[in-house]
mmCIF file of all heavy atoms in Angstrom:
data_model
loop_
_atom_site.group_PDB
_atom_site.id
_atom_site.type_symbol
_atom_site.label_atom_id
_atom_site.label_comp_id
_atom_site.label_asym_id
_atom_site.label_seq_id
_atom_site.Cartn_x
_atom_site.Cartn_y
_atom_site.Cartn_z
ATOM 1 N N ALA A 81 -3.651 0.011 14.284
ATOM 2 C CA ALA A 81 -5.187 -0.085 14.502
ATOM 3 C C ALA A 81 -5.886 -1.129 13.701
ATOM 4 O O ALA A 81 -6.662 -2.019 14.000
ATOM 5 C CB ALA A 81 -5.880 1.286 14.328
ATOM 6 N N LEU A 82 -5.493 -1.186 12.388
ATOM 7 C CA LEU A 82 -6.140 -2.125 11.415
ATOM 8 C C LEU A 82 -5.522 -3.528 11.679
ATOM 9 O O LEU A 82 -6.414 -4.438 11.547
ATOM 10 C CB LEU A 82 -5.715 -1.784 10.033
ATOM 11 C CG LEU A 82 -6.241 -0.399 9.482
ATOM 12 C CD1 LEU A 82 -5.797 -0.099 7.986
ATOM 13 C CD2 LEU A 82 -7.687 -0.296 9.684
ATOM 14 N N ALA A 83 -4.333 -3.691 12.107
ATOM 15 C CA ALA A 83 -3.801 -4.951 12.492
ATOM 16 C C ALA A 83 -4.661 -5.506 13.582
ATOM 17 O O ALA A 83 -4.978 -6.746 13.672
ATOM 18 C CB ALA A 83 -2.363 -4.883 12.867
ATOM 19 N N LEU A 84 -4.933 -4.736 14.614
ATOM 20 C CA LEU A 84 -5.678 -5.158 15.787
ATOM 21 C C LEU A 84 -7.063 -5.605 15.309
ATOM 22 O O LEU A 84 -7.506 -6.642 15.591
ATOM 23 C CB LEU A 84 -5.633 -4.130 16.804
ATOM 24 C CG LEU A 84 -6.720 -4.368 17.992
ATOM 25 C CD1 LEU A 84 -6.102 -5.501 18.845
ATOM 26 C CD2 LEU A 84 -6.769 -3.237 18.912
ATOM 27 N N GLU A 85 -7.778 -4.699 14.413
ATOM 28 C CA GLU A 85 -9.019 -5.075 14.062
ATOM 29 C C GLU A 85 -9.165 -6.180 13.147
ATOM 30 O O GLU A 85 -10.118 -6.899 13.140
ATOM 31 C CB GLU A 85 -9.682 -3.807 13.523
ATOM 32 C CG GLU A 85 -11.212 -3.828 13.302
ATOM 33 C CD GLU A 85 -11.870 -2.578 12.876
ATOM 34 O OE1 GLU A 85 -11.349 -1.576 13.360
ATOM 35 O OE2 GLU A 85 -12.791 -2.564 12.161
ATOM 36 N N TRP A 86 -8.224 -6.311 12.188
ATOM 37 C CA TRP A 86 -8.472 -7.333 11.246
ATOM 38 C C TRP A 86 -7.757 -8.620 11.362
ATOM 39 O O TRP A 86 -7.933 -9.587 10.591
ATOM 40 C CB TRP A 86 -7.973 -6.733 9.814
ATOM 41 C CG TRP A 86 -8.779 -5.562 9.353
ATOM 42 C CD1 TRP A 86 -10.028 -5.268 9.737
ATOM 43 C CD2 TRP A 86 -8.469 -4.665 8.376
ATOM 44 N NE1 TRP A 86 -10.538 -4.115 9.099
ATOM 45 C CE2 TRP A 86 -9.505 -3.646 8.354
ATOM 46 C CE3 TRP A 86 -7.369 -4.298 7.614
ATOM 47 C CZ2 TRP A 86 -9.526 -2.613 7.365
ATOM 48 C CZ3 TRP A 86 -7.378 -3.401 6.715
ATOM 49 C CH2 TRP A 86 -8.419 -2.399 6.699
ATOM 50 N N ALA A 87 -6.986 -8.832 12.538
ATOM 51 C CA ALA A 87 -6.362 -10.020 12.830
ATOM 52 C C ALA A 87 -7.326 -11.240 12.872
ATOM 53 O O ALA A 87 -6.882 -12.257 12.450
ATOM 54 C CB ALA A 87 -5.548 -9.857 14.108
ATOM 55 N N ARG A 88 -8.478 -11.097 13.370
ATOM 56 C CA ARG A 88 -9.391 -12.049 13.505
ATOM 57 C C ARG A 88 -9.874 -12.632 12.148
ATOM 58 O O ARG A 88 -10.438 -13.646 12.077
ATOM 59 C CB ARG A 88 -10.669 -11.676 14.366
ATOM 60 C CG ARG A 88 -11.449 -10.533 13.762
ATOM 61 C CD ARG A 88 -12.475 -10.078 14.784
ATOM 62 N NE ARG A 88 -13.289 -8.982 14.256
ATOM 63 C CZ ARG A 88 -14.490 -9.120 13.860
ATOM 64 N NH1 ARG A 88 -15.120 -10.323 13.876
ATOM 65 N NH2 ARG A 88 -15.144 -8.118 13.371
ATOM 66 N N HIS A 89 -9.640 -11.759 11.123
ATOM 67 C CA HIS A 89 -10.051 -12.212 9.827
ATOM 68 C C HIS A 89 -8.826 -12.817 9.028
ATOM 69 O O HIS A 89 -8.927 -12.899 7.780
ATOM 70 C CB HIS A 89 -10.447 -10.923 8.924
ATOM 71 C CG HIS A 89 -11.736 -10.448 9.618
ATOM 72 N ND1 HIS A 89 -12.976 -11.014 9.572
ATOM 73 C CD2 HIS A 89 -12.003 -9.151 10.173
ATOM 74 C CE1 HIS A 89 -13.920 -10.199 10.126
ATOM 75 N NE2 HIS A 89 -13.376 -9.150 10.544
ATOM 76 N N LYS A 90 -7.714 -12.958 9.712
ATOM 77 C CA LYS A 90 -6.420 -13.440 9.171
ATOM 78 C C LYS A 90 -5.826 -12.520 8.167
ATOM 79 O O LYS A 90 -5.145 -12.816 7.313
ATOM 80 C CB LYS A 90 -6.703 -14.772 8.606
ATOM 81 C CG LYS A 90 -7.021 -15.928 9.446
ATOM 82 C CD LYS A 90 -7.140 -17.260 8.823
ATOM 83 C CE LYS A 90 -7.606 -18.230 9.770
ATOM 84 N NZ LYS A 90 -7.874 -19.518 9.071
ATOM 85 N N VAL A 91 -6.033 -11.283 8.410
ATOM 86 C CA VAL A 91 -5.487 -10.167 7.521
ATOM 87 C C VAL A 91 -4.444 -9.462 8.376
ATOM 88 O O VAL A 91 -4.822 -8.820 9.366
ATOM 89 C CB VAL A 91 -6.602 -9.150 7.092
ATOM 90 C CG1 VAL A 91 -6.017 -7.974 6.313
ATOM 91 C CG2 VAL A 91 -7.669 -9.783 6.158
ATOM 92 N N ARG A 92 -3.169 -9.643 7.930
ATOM 93 C CA ARG A 92 -2.027 -9.006 8.643
ATOM 94 C C ARG A 92 -1.744 -7.694 8.090
ATOM 95 O O ARG A 92 -1.858 -7.478 6.881
ATOM 96 C CB ARG A 92 -0.861 -9.938 8.578
ATOM 97 C CG ARG A 92 -1.071 -11.319 9.174
ATOM 98 C CD ARG A 92 0.193 -12.180 9.093
ATOM 99 N NE ARG A 92 0.449 -12.637 7.785
ATOM 100 C CZ ARG A 92 1.574 -12.102 7.146
ATOM 101 N NH1 ARG A 92 2.444 -11.363 7.668
ATOM 102 N NH2 ARG A 92 1.807 -12.481 5.805
ATOM 103 N N VAL A 93 -1.565 -6.753 8.939
ATOM 104 C CA VAL A 93 -1.267 -5.417 8.460
ATOM 105 C C VAL A 93 0.042 -4.946 9.150
ATOM 106 O O VAL A 93 0.218 -4.848 10.356
ATOM 107 C CB VAL A 93 -2.277 -4.267 8.816
ATOM 108 C CG1 VAL A 93 -2.032 -3.059 8.098
ATOM 109 C CG2 VAL A 93 -3.651 -5.000 8.296
ATOM 110 N N ASN A 94 1.061 -4.541 8.289
ATOM 111 C CA ASN A 94 2.492 -4.178 8.840
ATOM 112 C C ASN A 94 2.855 -2.966 8.029
ATOM 113 O O ASN A 94 2.221 -2.579 7.056
ATOM 114 C CB ASN A 94 3.420 -5.403 8.686
ATOM 115 C CG ASN A 94 3.081 -6.465 9.582
ATOM 116 O OD1 ASN A 94 3.116 -6.306 10.819
ATOM 117 N ND2 ASN A 94 2.628 -7.596 9.006
ATOM 118 N N ALA A 95 3.908 -2.353 8.443
ATOM 119 C CA ALA A 95 4.439 -1.143 7.705
ATOM 120 C C ALA A 95 5.842 -1.215 7.500
ATOM 121 O O ALA A 95 6.683 -1.667 8.456
ATOM 122 C CB ALA A 95 3.984 0.132 8.430
ATOM 123 N N LEU A 96 6.464 -0.662 6.467
ATOM 124 C CA LEU A 96 7.773 -0.313 6.302
ATOM 125 C C LEU A 96 8.031 1.164 6.388
ATOM 126 O O LEU A 96 7.132 1.966 5.890
ATOM 127 C CB LEU A 96 8.282 -0.928 4.922
ATOM 128 C CG LEU A 96 8.392 -2.348 4.775
ATOM 129 C CD1 LEU A 96 8.874 -2.732 3.390
ATOM 130 C CD2 LEU A 96 9.272 -3.032 5.778
ATOM 131 N N ALA A 97 9.080 1.596 6.822
ATOM 132 C CA ALA A 97 9.474 3.012 7.035
ATOM 133 C C ALA A 97 10.733 3.209 6.213
ATOM 134 O O ALA A 97 11.827 3.203 6.989
ATOM 135 C CB ALA A 97 9.414 3.443 8.444
ATOM 136 N N PRO A 98 10.605 3.589 5.045
ATOM 137 C CA PRO A 98 11.922 3.769 4.328
ATOM 138 C C PRO A 98 12.568 5.115 4.721
ATOM 139 O O PRO A 98 11.863 6.058 5.140
ATOM 140 C CB PRO A 98 11.570 3.694 2.852
ATOM 141 C CG PRO A 98 10.163 3.086 2.799
ATOM 142 C CD PRO A 98 9.627 3.385 4.107
ATOM 143 N N GLY A 99 13.861 5.207 4.527
ATOM 144 C CA GLY A 99 14.526 6.491 4.688
ATOM 145 C C GLY A 99 14.654 7.078 3.329
ATOM 146 O O GLY A 99 13.743 7.124 2.462
ATOM 147 N N TYR A 100 15.887 7.494 2.934
ATOM 148 C CA TYR A 100 16.093 8.017 1.668
ATOM 149 C C TYR A 100 16.348 7.035 0.638
ATOM 150 O O TYR A 100 17.205 6.167 0.718
ATOM 151 C CB TYR A 100 17.349 9.007 1.724
ATOM 152 C CG TYR A 100 17.341 10.171 2.744
ATOM 153 C CD1 TYR A 100 18.351 10.251 3.659
ATOM 154 C CD2 TYR A 100 16.355 11.051 2.652
ATOM 155 C CE1 TYR A 100 18.388 11.251 4.553
ATOM 156 C CE2 TYR A 100 16.377 12.027 3.635
ATOM 157 C CZ TYR A 100 17.397 12.066 4.547
ATOM 158 O OH TYR A 100 17.309 13.139 5.547
ATOM 159 N N VAL A 101 15.450 6.970 -0.404
ATOM 160 C CA VAL A 101 15.391 5.986 -1.355
ATOM 161 C C VAL A 101 15.595 6.704 -2.717
ATOM 162 O O VAL A 101 14.851 7.648 -3.032
ATOM 163 C CB VAL A 101 14.087 5.101 -1.395
ATOM 164 C CG1 VAL A 101 14.158 4.124 -2.500
ATOM 165 C CG2 VAL A 101 13.907 4.544 -0.007
ATOM 166 N N ILE A 102 16.485 6.293 -3.492
ATOM 167 C CA ILE A 102 16.845 6.880 -4.853
ATOM 168 C C ILE A 102 15.565 6.428 -5.803
ATOM 169 O O ILE A 102 15.425 5.202 -5.982
ATOM 170 C CB ILE A 102 18.094 6.473 -5.404
ATOM 171 C CG1 ILE A 102 19.251 6.825 -4.431
ATOM 172 C CG2 ILE A 102 18.293 7.077 -6.770
ATOM 173 C CD1 ILE A 102 19.988 8.018 -4.730
ATOM 174 N N THR A 103 14.945 7.241 -6.316
ATOM 175 C CA THR A 103 13.824 7.127 -7.351
ATOM 176 C C THR A 103 14.050 8.028 -8.601
ATOM 177 O O THR A 103 14.884 8.954 -8.481
ATOM 178 C CB THR A 103 12.468 7.298 -6.760
ATOM 179 O OG1 THR A 103 12.277 8.624 -6.455
ATOM 180 C CG2 THR A 103 12.205 6.472 -5.425
ATOM 181 N N ASP A 104 13.267 7.809 -9.632
ATOM 182 C CA ASP A 104 13.336 8.704 -10.684
ATOM 183 C C ASP A 104 12.924 10.118 -10.297
ATOM 184 O O ASP A 104 13.383 11.095 -10.928
ATOM 185 C CB ASP A 104 12.353 8.189 -11.777
ATOM 186 C CG ASP A 104 12.872 6.910 -12.485
ATOM 187 O OD1 ASP A 104 14.144 6.651 -12.326
ATOM 188 O OD2 ASP A 104 12.047 6.153 -13.118
ATOM 189 N N LEU A 105 11.985 10.250 -9.261
ATOM 190 C CA LEU A 105 11.600 11.574 -8.823
ATOM 191 C C LEU A 105 12.691 12.256 -8.117
ATOM 192 O O LEU A 105 12.618 13.595 -8.177
ATOM 193 C CB LEU A 105 10.413 11.387 -7.997
ATOM 194 C CG LEU A 105 9.087 10.896 -8.637
ATOM 195 C CD1 LEU A 105 7.968 10.762 -7.563
ATOM 196 C CD2 LEU A 105 8.640 11.785 -9.786
ATOM 197 N N ASN A 106 13.576 11.637 -7.401
ATOM 198 C CA ASN A 106 14.567 12.475 -6.607
ATOM 199 C C ASN A 106 16.053 12.279 -7.100
ATOM 200 O O ASN A 106 16.944 12.800 -6.402
ATOM 201 C CB ASN A 106 14.352 12.193 -5.227
ATOM 202 C CG ASN A 106 14.626 10.707 -4.837
ATOM 203 O OD1 ASN A 106 15.362 10.024 -5.528
ATOM 204 N ND2 ASN A 106 14.008 10.254 -3.686
ATOM 205 N N ARG A 107 16.264 11.396 -8.056
ATOM 206 C CA ARG A 107 17.550 11.079 -8.509
ATOM 207 C C ARG A 107 18.428 12.436 -8.700
ATOM 208 O O ARG A 107 19.566 12.479 -8.348
ATOM 209 C CB ARG A 107 17.574 10.218 -9.748
ATOM 210 C CG ARG A 107 18.939 9.619 -10.030
ATOM 211 C CD ARG A 107 18.850 8.576 -11.328
ATOM 212 N NE ARG A 107 17.634 7.825 -11.204
ATOM 213 C CZ ARG A 107 17.608 6.567 -10.497
ATOM 214 N NH1 ARG A 107 18.742 6.276 -9.778
ATOM 215 N NH2 ARG A 107 16.552 5.831 -10.457
ATOM 216 N N ASP A 108 17.894 13.423 -9.417
ATOM 217 C CA ASP A 108 18.576 14.602 -9.728
ATOM 218 C C ASP A 108 19.004 15.307 -8.431
ATOM 219 O O ASP A 108 20.028 15.959 -8.303
ATOM 220 C CB ASP A 108 17.801 15.547 -10.634
ATOM 221 C CG ASP A 108 17.735 14.926 -12.054
ATOM 222 O OD1 ASP A 108 18.471 14.119 -12.422
ATOM 223 O OD2 ASP A 108 16.798 15.322 -12.928
ATOM 224 N N PHE A 109 18.102 15.410 -7.569
ATOM 225 C CA PHE A 109 18.356 15.972 -6.185
ATOM 226 C C PHE A 109 19.404 15.424 -5.495
ATOM 227 O O PHE A 109 20.388 16.049 -4.971
ATOM 228 C CB PHE A 109 17.092 16.077 -5.327
ATOM 229 C CG PHE A 109 17.431 16.510 -3.924
ATOM 230 C CD1 PHE A 109 17.718 17.843 -3.599
ATOM 231 C CD2 PHE A 109 17.554 15.638 -2.852
ATOM 232 C CE1 PHE A 109 18.066 18.226 -2.367
ATOM 233 C CE2 PHE A 109 17.828 15.917 -1.611
ATOM 234 C CZ PHE A 109 18.157 17.311 -1.368
ATOM 235 N N PHE A 110 19.458 14.050 -5.353
ATOM 236 C CA PHE A 110 20.560 13.384 -4.677
ATOM 237 C C PHE A 110 21.896 13.484 -5.342
ATOM 238 O O PHE A 110 22.882 13.191 -4.755
ATOM 239 C CB PHE A 110 20.171 11.832 -4.407
ATOM 240 C CG PHE A 110 19.223 11.752 -3.310
ATOM 241 C CD1 PHE A 110 17.996 11.040 -3.402
ATOM 242 C CD2 PHE A 110 19.556 12.190 -2.006
ATOM 243 C CE1 PHE A 110 17.214 10.950 -2.368
ATOM 244 C CE2 PHE A 110 18.638 12.095 -0.926
ATOM 245 C CZ PHE A 110 17.414 11.387 -1.199
ATOM 246 N N ALA A 111 21.931 13.987 -6.603
ATOM 247 C CA ALA A 111 23.152 14.176 -7.337
ATOM 248 C C ALA A 111 23.763 15.612 -6.921
ATOM 249 O O ALA A 111 24.854 15.838 -7.268
ATOM 250 C CB ALA A 111 22.928 14.086 -8.695
ATOM 251 N N THR A 112 22.965 16.424 -6.274
ATOM 252 C CA THR A 112 23.347 17.757 -5.956
ATOM 253 C C THR A 112 24.162 17.710 -4.662
ATOM 254 O O THR A 112 24.208 16.689 -3.924
ATOM 255 C CB THR A 112 22.214 18.724 -5.666
ATOM 256 O OG1 THR A 112 21.457 18.317 -4.519
ATOM 257 C CG2 THR A 112 21.244 18.833 -6.954
ATOM 258 N N GLU A 113 24.874 18.808 -4.397
ATOM 259 C CA GLU A 113 25.700 18.997 -3.088
ATOM 260 C C GLU A 113 24.750 18.762 -1.828
ATOM 261 O O GLU A 113 25.086 18.130 -0.910
ATOM 262 C CB GLU A 113 26.400 20.257 -3.047
ATOM 263 C CG GLU A 113 27.265 20.500 -1.720
ATOM 264 C CD GLU A 113 28.214 19.208 -1.464
ATOM 265 O OE1 GLU A 113 28.809 18.644 -2.392
ATOM 266 O OE2 GLU A 113 28.403 18.852 -0.324
ATOM 267 N N ALA A 114 23.531 19.447 -1.980
ATOM 268 C CA ALA A 114 22.547 19.228 -0.748
ATOM 269 C C ALA A 114 22.084 17.786 -0.644
ATOM 270 O O ALA A 114 21.984 17.314 0.542
ATOM 271 C CB ALA A 114 21.348 20.250 -1.130
ATOM 272 N N GLY A 115 21.836 17.074 -1.806
ATOM 273 C CA GLY A 115 21.529 15.670 -1.640
ATOM 274 C C GLY A 115 22.587 14.845 -1.094
ATOM 275 O O GLY A 115 22.370 13.936 -0.243
ATOM 276 N N GLN A 116 23.685 15.063 -1.602
ATOM 277 C CA GLN A 116 24.949 14.315 -1.024
ATOM 278 C C GLN A 116 25.131 14.654 0.381
ATOM 279 O O GLN A 116 25.514 13.705 1.098
ATOM 280 C CB GLN A 116 26.190 14.620 -1.932
ATOM 281 C CG GLN A 116 26.193 14.111 -3.320
ATOM 282 C CD GLN A 116 26.066 12.643 -3.314
ATOM 283 O OE1 GLN A 116 26.990 11.935 -2.722
ATOM 284 N NE2 GLN A 116 25.011 12.053 -3.935
ATOM 285 N N ALA A 117 24.873 15.802 0.840
ATOM 286 C CA ALA A 117 25.019 16.133 2.301
ATOM 287 C C ALA A 117 24.060 15.308 3.164
ATOM 288 O O ALA A 117 24.481 14.864 4.206
ATOM 289 C CB ALA A 117 24.772 17.680 2.588
#
Side-chain angles (χ1 to χ4, degrees):
L82 298 180
L84 176 63
E85 190 171 329
W86 296 343
R88 66 188 178 102
H89 299 292
K90 297 182 185 173
V91 176
R92 299 180 295 110
V93 187
N94 293 295
L96 290 180
Y100 302 124
V101 180
I102 306 258
T103 68
D104 290 340
L105 294 175
N106 63 24
R107 190 175 315 281
D108 290 341
F109 168 73
F110 281 122
T112 68
E113 181 54 38
Q116 289 298 302

